[in-house]
């Protein structure tokens, strides 16, 4: 390439690059501005290339800085580079990848990756072949630099096979496998790392045996980086090519057992991931059972704090008065409201049904080492033990119990703490076998809440939360009483980490205990309120959750003047102290939503200012969004403020019911709500539809004038690919139907066929099916003649969708609707009458008139087909269904 620099310009740019390294921030800033202005000139990038690749007499820092600035320009402006500049960069990079300086080789490799990402492999066809030629050149520096570039390229793309289709993958894979045994540990490590990105390529199966052999050849490499990458390769293979690994599995398991104890913590962590992956494989039990006596002690040892961890924990300082740093507080995201139903599964009436069980594993909801690394050997070992306990269940206990007896009852606090973590990790998987030991272990854990070491107190909180269900359901109430008393003490601990763990654990206990908490409410609220005066910002956010969960759990039992007078003043004080753009409002608004629902009329003294501020938040955000749409210079507003305000308005409406009427009449909320229903953000529409449904129930006279505009929007959002939006839309349509009666008929064409289509799909989550079925039933209730002809198209799925939800008003209206449709079109249910019988039998105690309607339909069908045909028909019923119908309806 013939380009040559102007000496004067080159010296100026070199001077700028050197000044850029100055410790003086003012000089740095001035130089940065000059460099940015120079980026507009195409030749500037040529100078950077020249400094990086040609000026070998300059120091590495100056050359590398030129390379990094060039890399940033490539990322930001590559499409504007003239073709001759692009070609110059490519040519010089490939001729400098073997530079004697390791730093320059690394920078050039990064630059090659940036160009390849922007240009595409089709435009740089000689890249991969040239890199492999350099790998084979016999020059170590060229080999290492090329491997760095290949590794960066492999790492940079999500799926190498797709991105570099047309490239010689069949040559690349054997080449990487070959270099696993290179004499240099750096090359060995890079070769293994590269091959990991090709595990999903179909042709890898042809090389599995050689790959495994070469991996085993370096399995005990002197380089920790090589050992780590070998572990990563085997873990990746296990998750993708399990069938091909079976012949080697015993050897791999034994190797991973060894490496999980590696003195290099990074190697041990990578190896520990293996147990998480194999636990998900069907062969897990068969493969791991013989190794449990060796594996379980290794995982338990891995759950101890390391010496570095202990230093990072900063001892047992009483740090409650130390303000939190901004970086210690995780971003808070609001989860929009989702309408759902309670189920016939033993849940307390005040618990919300949640479609997916989201109870966290020990490494997730135990924030006991939040100041430590996000993911470490301790957390990975705990997660592995947790998932193995779910696989092997009580079969783990013959190995685990003798270990627990040693580690739990030791004088060494670090060992004791890890033992308590072990006990928490196996809480779900081994509960049945541990049941006989819990009357001894639970008092021990409660006693550990008072341990002199803060980490022990903290982990005891978490582990007790894992056994909260057991504690709550014991006939001996002393466990429950003692746990409440001691956990409340820990809420007021002088250590912030213990406060946090106790607060989270108490929220879990609240969810499990529900109305059992009522006798202790005064003491609980006193403690939570006192915590307001102690907690720093981070734990205050968790405290809001504890308040909200308490309200969800005990419901109307909170609606007592003496409790309200304790509970509300500190919350309102915080409410007034936070400005409208403070994200700390999110948990407070969520908390107030739960409290408004629980207090019902007891929230009325606080309703108007809360209502007005929420409406103001909605209006502000909508105005900011409109301004941004009209002028790009404005920032896009944070829609979470809008969503959380809509959800608090929804909770407020649900709580004070028709008392919201006067507030709605004096506001422009419904105009704003109509705008929200058209928002591009899915979560905004989701919360809008939830609020619309609640307002429809509480004050339909205000909603009614907007129905003509809102119903088409509801119909438009019956899109099951957006499950939560669709769910709330369907629910709101059902509520509107119950208020409008037969007047909803003009809107049926907008919604009915879409609802039936959702009902008949196989890939729909349970909550959406239930709300859809209820709404179809309600539409049939108010417009039976219009909906009944479609009965054969949905009755089977309708019955199956509603057989498991608890008796409630929504279920009542839906079943009345189906009964009305059957009376209009009895032939529509004949082919699926068994499903109808099953759905009827799901009722625990229907209202008398509904039960009588069921009786008439069942006996009408029986009389129509005759005794013998009915007998033959009912003999197909499962025995419990047959018995239930006979006892309740005499058929």
């Amino acid at each position: 390439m013939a380009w040559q620099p102007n000496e004067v310009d080159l010296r100026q740019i070199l001077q700028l690059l050197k000044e850029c390294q100055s410790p003086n921030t003012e000089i740095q800033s001035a130089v940065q501005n000059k460099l940015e202005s120079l980026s507009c000139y195409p030749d500037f990038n040529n100078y950077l290339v020249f400094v990086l690749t040609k000026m070998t007499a300059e120091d590495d820092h100056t050359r590398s800085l030129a390379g990094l600035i060039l890399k940033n320009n490539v990322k930001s402006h590559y499409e504007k580079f003239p073709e001759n500049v692009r070609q110059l960069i490519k040519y010089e990079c490939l001729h400098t990848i073997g530079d004697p300086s390791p730093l320059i080789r690394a920078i050039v490799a990064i630059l090659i990756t940036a160009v390849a990402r922007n240009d595409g492999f089709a435009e740089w066809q000689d890249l991969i072949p040239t890199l492999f030629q350099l790998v084979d050149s016999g020059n170590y520096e060229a080999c290492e630099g090329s491997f760095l570039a290949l590794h960066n390229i492999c790492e940079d793309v999500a799926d190498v096979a797709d991105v570099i289709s047309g490239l010689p993958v069949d040559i690349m894979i054997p080449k990487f496998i070959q270099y696993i045994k290179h004499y240099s540990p750096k090359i060995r490590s890079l070769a293994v790392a590269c091959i990991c990105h090709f595990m999903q390529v179909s042709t890898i199966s042809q090389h599995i045996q050689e790959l495994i052999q070469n991996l085993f050849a370096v399995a005990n490499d002197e380089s920790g980086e090589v050992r780590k990458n070998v572990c990563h390769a085997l873990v990746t293979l296990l998750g993708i090519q399990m069938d091909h690994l079976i012949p080697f599995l015993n050897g791999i398991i034994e190797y991973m057992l060894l490496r999980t104890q590696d003195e290099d913590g990074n190697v041990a962590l990578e190896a520990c991931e293996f147990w998480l992956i194999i636990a998900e494989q069907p062969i897990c039990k068969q493969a791991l059972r013989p190794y449990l006596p060796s594996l379980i002690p290794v995982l338990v040892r891995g759950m101890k704090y390391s010496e570095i961890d202990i230093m990072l924990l900063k001892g047992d300082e009483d740090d409650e008065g130390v303000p939190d740093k901004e970086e210690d507080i995780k971003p808070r995201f609001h989860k929009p409201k989702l309408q759902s139903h309670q189920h016939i599964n033993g849940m307390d009436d005040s618990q919300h049904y949640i479609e997916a069980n989201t109870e966290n594993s020990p490494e997730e909801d135990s924030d006991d080492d939040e100041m430590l690394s996000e993911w470490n050997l301790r957390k990975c070992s705990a997660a592995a033990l947790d998932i193995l306990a779910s696989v092997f269940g009580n079969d783990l206990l013959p190995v685990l119990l003798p270990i627990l007896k040693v580690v739990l009852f030791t004088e060494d606090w670090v060992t004791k703490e890890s033992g308590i973590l072990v006990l928490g990790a196996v809480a779900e998987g081994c509960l049945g076998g541990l049941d006989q030991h819990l009357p001894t272990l639970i008092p021990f854990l409660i006693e550990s809440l008072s341990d002199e070491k803060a980490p022990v107190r903290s982990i005891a909180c978490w582990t007790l939360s894992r056994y909260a269900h057991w504690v709550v359901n014991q006939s001996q109430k002393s466990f429950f009483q003692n746990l409440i008393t001691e956990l409340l003490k820990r809420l007021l601990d002088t250590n912030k980490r213990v406060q946090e763990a106790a607060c989270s654990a108490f929220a879990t206990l609240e969810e499990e205990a529900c109305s059992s908490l009522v006798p202790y409410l005064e003491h609980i609220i006193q403690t939570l309120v006192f915590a307001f005066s102690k907690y720093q910002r981070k734990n205050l956010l968790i405290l809001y959750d504890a308040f909200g969960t308490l309200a969800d759990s005990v419901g109307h039992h909170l609606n007592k003047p003496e409790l309200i007078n304790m509970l509300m003043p500190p919350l309102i004080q915080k409410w007034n102290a936070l400005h409208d753009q403070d994200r700390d409002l999110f948990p407070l608004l969520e908390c107030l939503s739960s409290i408004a629902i629980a207090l019902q009329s007891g929230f009325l003294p606080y309703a108007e200012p809360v209502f007005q501020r929420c409406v103001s938040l909605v209006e502000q955000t909508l105005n900011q969004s409109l301004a941004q749409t009209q002028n790009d210079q404005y920032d896009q507003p944070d829609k979470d403020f809008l969503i959380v305000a809509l959800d608090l308005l929804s909770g407020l409406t649900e709580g004070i019911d028709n008392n919201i009427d006067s507030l709605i009449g004096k506001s422009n909320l419904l105009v704003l709500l109509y705008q929200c229903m058209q928002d591009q953000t899915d979560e905004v529409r989701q919360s809008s539809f939830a609020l619309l449904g609640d307002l429809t129930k509480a004050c339909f006279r205000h909603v009614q004038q907007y129905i003509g505009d809102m119903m088409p929007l509801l119909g438009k959002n019956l899109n099951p690919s957006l499950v939560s939006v669709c769910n709330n839309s369907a629910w709101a349509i059902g509520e509107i139907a119950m208020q409008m009666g037969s007047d909803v008929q003009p809107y049926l064409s907008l919604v009915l066929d879409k609802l039936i289509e959702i009902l008949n799909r196989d890939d729909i989550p349970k909550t959406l099916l239930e709300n859809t079925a209820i709404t179809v039933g309600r539409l049939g209730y108010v417009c039976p003649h219009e909906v009944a002809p479609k009965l054969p198209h949905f009755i089977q799925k309708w019955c199956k969708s509603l057989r498991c939800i608890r008796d409630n008003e929504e279920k009542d209206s839906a079943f009345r609707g189906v009964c009305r449709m059957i009376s209009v079109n009895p032939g529509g249910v004949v082919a699926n009458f068994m499903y109808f019988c099953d759905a009827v039998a799901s009722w625990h105690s229907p209202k008398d008139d509904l039960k009588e309607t069921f009786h008439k339909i069942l006996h009408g069908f029986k009389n129509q087909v005759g005794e013998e045909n009915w007998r033959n028909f009912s003999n197909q019923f499962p025995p419990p269904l047959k018995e239930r119908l006979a006892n309740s309806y005499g058929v």
Side-chain angles (χ1 to χ4, degrees):
M1 307 297 282
W3 186 85
Q4 290 296 321
N6 176 287
E7 277 299 319
V8 175
D9 292 344
L10 179 61
R11 291 298 153 201
Q12 288 180 348
I13 288 173
L14 271 176
Q15 184 62 32
L16 283 174
L17 292 172
K18 291 182 184 297
E19 288 177 359
C20 202
Q21 300 169 55
S22 166
N24 187 310
T25 54
E26 290 184 8
I27 293 175
Q28 282 184 12
S29 178
V31 171
Q32 187 65 35
N33 290 334
K34 289 180 184 177
L35 289 171
E36 286 179 6
S37 65
L38 287 171
S39 296
C40 301
Y41 298 95
D43 267 10
F44 177 59
N45 293 307
N46 292 354
Y47 281 96
L48 294 175
V49 173
F50 190 86
V51 173
L52 172 66
T53 64
K54 300 297 187 185
M55 302 195 71
T56 55
E58 289 292 335
D59 62 274
D60 285 357
H61 289 295
T62 300
R63 292 176 65 197
S64 65
L65 183 56
L68 289 172
I69 293 170
L70 180 57
K71 183 262 296 182
N72 290 334
N73 288 347
V74 167
K75 288 177 68 176
S76 303
H77 311 296
Y78 190 75
E79 70 281 356
K80 299 177 182 176
F81 283 17
E83 184 60 27
N84 64 318
V85 175
R86 297 186 186 192
Q87 293 303 325
L88 178 70
I89 295 171
K90 293 176 187 179
Y91 179 86
E92 296 297 352
C93 280
L94 288 176
H95 283 77
T96 315
I97 193 68
D99 193 277
S101 164
L103 176 59
I104 300 305
R105 292 198 297 273
I107 294 295
V108 172
I110 291 170
L111 182 54
I112 285 173
T113 310
V115 173
R117 185 190 308 125
N118 281 275
D119 220 14
F121 294 103
E123 291 294 321
W124 198 356
Q125 293 184 359
D126 64 336
L127 171 61
I128 302 297
T130 304
L131 289 175
F132 273 113
Q133 287 173 15
L134 292 167
V135 162
D136 289 335
S137 67
N139 179 299
Y140 175 77
E141 286 79 9
C143 178
E144 184 201 282
S146 298
F147 249 114
L148 282 170
L150 286 165
H151 177 251
N152 289 346
I153 290 167
C154 292
E155 199 170 50
D156 191 59
V157 295
D159 185 345
V160 172
D162 288 341
V163 174
I164 61 172
S165 58
L167 292 173
V169 173
D170 291 343
I171 297 172
M172 296 170 75
I173 290 174
K175 185 67 71 175
F176 289 141
I177 293 174
Q178 172 194 337
Y179 274 83
I180 288 173
K181 298 169 75 171
H182 193 270
Y183 69 85
S184 162
K186 182 72 175 285
I187 302 298
R188 295 197 296 273
S189 172
L190 287 168
V192 178
C194 286
I195 199 70
C196 288
H197 296 281
F198 286 84
M199 297 302 189
Q200 285 182 307
V201 177
S202 59
T203 53
I204 192 79
S205 58
Q206 303 168 21
H207 307 281
I208 287 287
Q209 188 154 351
E210 184 186 2
L211 173 59
I212 297 291
Q213 288 172 351
N214 282 17
L215 288 173
F216 278 174
V218 296
N220 298 311
D221 200 279
E222 62 185 23
S223 164
E225 194 66 24
V226 174
R227 298 197 303 276
K228 185 188 83 168
N229 286 348
V230 168
C231 291
H232 180 64
L234 292 171
V235 170
T236 306
L237 269 175
L238 182 72
I240 298 171
Q241 303 281 352
M242 178 68 202
D243 292 345
H244 293 100
L245 285 192
I246 290 176
F248 311 98
L249 197 53
N250 286 343
I252 294 172
I253 289 170
E254 290 167 7
Y255 175 67
M256 289 300 185
L257 261 171
L258 180 66
R259 292 281 75 89
T260 305
Q261 304 169 74
D262 199 287
E263 60 185 15
D264 185 322
N266 292 324
V267 178
L269 175 58
E270 197 66 57
C272 196
E273 299 273 359
F274 176 82
W275 313 114
L276 295 174
I277 302 298
I278 197 170
E280 297 173 348
Q281 305 298 326
I283 202 172
C284 177
K285 272 194 173 184
Q286 176 188 340
L288 283 191
R289 189 178 295 278
Y291 296 97
L292 290 180
S294 303
L295 173 59
I296 300 307
V298 169
L299 293 177
V300 171
R301 285 197 296 274
M303 292 164 72
K304 289 176 65 172
Y305 280 124
S306 69
E307 292 181 8
I308 295 174
D309 292 340
I310 293 168
M311 285 191 291
L312 289 171
L313 285 169
K314 301 178 183 176
D316 296 310
E317 59 186 18
D318 295 341
D319 60 353
E320 64 175 349
V322 180
D324 295 321
K325 298 176 183 176
E326 187 68 35
E327 60 267 24
D328 292 336
I329 301 172
K330 293 180 180 178
R332 180 78 186 216
F333 300 101
H334 174 67
K335 186 177 180 181
K337 184 174 180 180
L338 181 71
Q339 290 300 143
S340 59
H341 301 276
Q342 293 138 10
H343 288 69
I344 309 167
N345 61 355
M347 293 172 75
D348 188 285
D349 282 333
S350 62
Q351 283 184 284
H352 293 297
Y353 175 80
I354 301 174
E355 181 66 22
N357 183 348
T358 56
E359 186 167 357
N360 293 330
S361 54
E363 80 281 2
E364 289 172 328
D365 72 343
S366 169
D367 287 331
D368 57 321
D369 23 21
E370 201 151 70
M371 289 176 290
L372 312 179
S373 61
E374 284 298 313
W375 184 244
N376 55 25
L377 182 61
R378 165 185 168 86
K379 293 183 177 183
C380 190
S381 300
L385 189 59
D386 184 357
I387 194 169
L388 289 173
S390 69
V391 172
F392 287 96
N394 298 332
D395 293 348
L396 235 55
L397 294 179
V399 179
L400 190 61
L401 285 175
I403 298 172
L404 279 173
K405 287 179 181 177
V406 174
V407 298
L408 284 175
F409 305 103
T410 177
E411 294 298 316
D412 176 39
W413 76 263
V414 177
T415 303
K416 177 182 178 181
E417 193 275 347
S418 70
I420 295 173
L421 176 57
V422 169
L423 194 57
V426 300
E428 289 187 2
C430 300
L431 185 60
L434 285 172
D435 187 79
Q436 60 182 307
H437 303 283
L438 289 178
T440 303
L441 288 171
I442 294 300
F444 165 77
L445 290 170
I446 292 174
E447 184 181 332
S448 297
L449 291 173
S450 302
D451 194 279
E452 63 178 15
K453 293 292 183 180
V456 176
R457 301 197 299 274
S458 175
I459 200 62
C461 290
W462 177 76
T463 295
L464 280 163
S465 75
R466 300 274 283 180
Y467 291 96
H469 183 79
W470 185 90
V471 170
V472 167
N473 288 284
Q474 295 308 297
S475 56
Q476 185 180 341
K477 292 304 176 187
S478 60
F479 293 128
F480 181 53
Q481 294 166 356
N482 292 340
L483 179 56
I484 287 181
T485 301
E486 295 305 315
L487 262 186
L488 288 175
K489 289 179 183 176
R490 294 287 65 78
L491 256 76
L492 305 179
D493 201 278
T494 54
N495 181 275
K496 290 195 290 188
R497 290 176 56 255
V498 179
Q499 293 173 357
E500 178 183 1
C503 215
S504 297
F506 197 76
T508 302
L509 182 63
E510 289 171 338
E511 291 173 343
E512 292 289 349
C514 296
S515 57
S516 299
L517 293 170
V518 172
Y520 310 95
L521 275 178
E522 185 172 350
H523 182 32
I524 291 169
I525 294 173
Q526 283 175 342
T527 304
L528 294 178
V529 167
F530 187 62
F532 262 103
S533 63
K534 288 173 67 74
Y535 281 13
Q536 298 298 326
R537 182 183 164 204
K538 178 183 175 185
N539 286 349
L540 201 56
L541 305 183
I542 302 168
L543 187 62
Y544 294 142
D545 287 339
F547 270 113
T549 306
L550 179 67
D552 292 337
S553 300
V554 303
H556 68 275
H557 295 288
L558 270 186
N559 191 9
K560 294 179 180 175
E562 63 274 18
L563 298 180
I564 294 172
N565 290 336
M566 281 193 290
L567 173 69
M568 289 305 298
L571 291 172
I572 295 300
Q573 183 181 354
K574 291 292 180 185
W575 164 266
N576 291 329
L578 294 172
H579 62 77
D580 283 353
Q581 298 306 313
D582 193 329
R583 291 184 71 90
D584 288 0
L585 267 178
F586 295 170
L588 178 55
L589 288 167
E590 292 168 3
C591 165
L592 286 172
S593 179
S594 294
I595 289 173
I597 294 169
L599 294 188
Q600 298 171 358
S601 60
F603 198 80
L604 279 173
Y606 314 96
E608 186 164 1
V610 169
F611 177 87
Q612 289 174 347
R613 186 171 185 184
C614 285
V615 172
S616 174
L617 279 170
V618 171
E619 189 160 22
Q620 285 177 44
T621 312
L622 288 173
N623 288 340
Q624 290 166 10
S625 183
L626 179 63
Q628 195 278 331
T629 303
Q630 296 171 344
N631 189 339
D632 290 341
Q633 291 183 339
Y634 290 104
D635 292 333
Q636 182 67 246
D638 186 343
K639 294 286 182 74
D640 276 354
F641 287 99
L642 174 55
I643 296 163
V644 78
L646 290 169
D647 287 348
L648 178 48
L649 287 167
S650 192
L652 181 63
T653 304
E654 189 176 342
I656 67 173
D657 197 30
N658 56 16
N659 288 298
I660 199 81
D661 188 287
S662 60
L663 297 176
I664 297 294
K666 293 185 290 185
S667 77
N668 62 338
L669 176 59
L670 283 160
V671 174
L672 299 173
L673 183 59
Y674 177 60
Q675 294 178 46
C676 293
M677 290 170 64
Q678 301 170 75
D679 198 273
Q680 295 300 306
T681 305
D682 299 337
E683 292 81 4
V684 173
R685 299 198 308 281
Q686 176 184 334
S687 293
S688 302
F689 299 146
L691 176 56
L692 175 62
D694 285 321
L695 290 173
T696 297
K697 291 168 68 176
C699 55
F700 184 66
R701 72 185 185 93
H702 293 294
V703 175
Q704 192 165 11
Q705 59 184 305
Y706 297 94
I707 289 298
D709 294 320
M710 289 181 168
M711 282 296 281
L713 292 176
L714 291 170
K716 181 181 177 183
N717 281 275
L718 291 175
N719 174 10
S721 63
L722 300 173
V723 173
S724 299
V725 179
C726 183
N727 179 81
N728 287 4
S729 176
W731 176 76
I733 291 167
E735 293 298 338
I736 290 169
M738 294 306 293
Q739 295 293 332
M740 291 187 73
S742 59
D743 290 342
V744 82
Q745 188 271 332
Y747 304 106
L748 289 179
S749 61
L750 297 174
V751 300
L752 183 58
D753 287 343
K754 289 184 177 181
L755 291 166
I756 293 172
E757 181 184 344
I758 293 168
L759 206 52
N760 283 306
R761 286 179 54 161
D762 294 327
D763 58 345
I764 301 299
K766 186 182 293 185
T767 299
L768 176 52
L769 278 177
E770 290 164 354
N771 273 318
T772 302
I774 284 172
T775 295
V776 169
R778 289 177 150 192
L779 291 172
Y781 180 74
V782 297
C783 297
H785 292 280
E786 289 77 12
V787 183
K790 297 181 182 289
L791 200 57
H793 302 298
F794 65 79
I795 188 62
Q796 182 185 129
K797 289 294 292 283
W798 189 94
C799 292
K800 289 164 74 174
S801 299
L802 295 186
R803 65 183 299 277
C804 291
I805 70 169
R806 287 183 172 228
D807 298 1
N808 60 31
E809 289 299 322
E810 293 181 8
K811 182 176 179 178
D812 179 280
S813 59
F815 271 81
R816 290 177 189 274
V818 156
C819 291
R820 284 190 177 183
M821 287 187 276
I822 291 173
S823 68
V824 171
N825 180 20
V829 76
V830 169
N832 295 289
F833 198 70
M834 184 190 299
Y835 292 98
F836 177 75
C837 293
D838 181 52
V840 166
S842 73
W843 278 88
H844 179 67
S845 54
K847 293 178 181 177
D848 290 343
D849 62 329
L850 180 59
K851 186 173 183 178
E852 179 60 28
T853 302
F854 290 156
H855 187 278
K856 287 179 180 177
I857 292 173
L858 292 171
H859 279 272
F861 186 86
K862 178 181 176 181
N863 294 337
Q864 187 174 5
V865 300
E867 189 69 38
E868 184 177 350
N869 286 334
W870 173 260
R871 190 182 307 109
N872 293 334
F873 175 66
S874 61
N875 283 340
Q876 303 172 53
F877 293 177
L881 172 58
K882 193 172 182 180
E883 181 182 350
R884 188 81 179 260
L885 290 174
N887 292 340
S888 298
Y889 299 100
V891 293

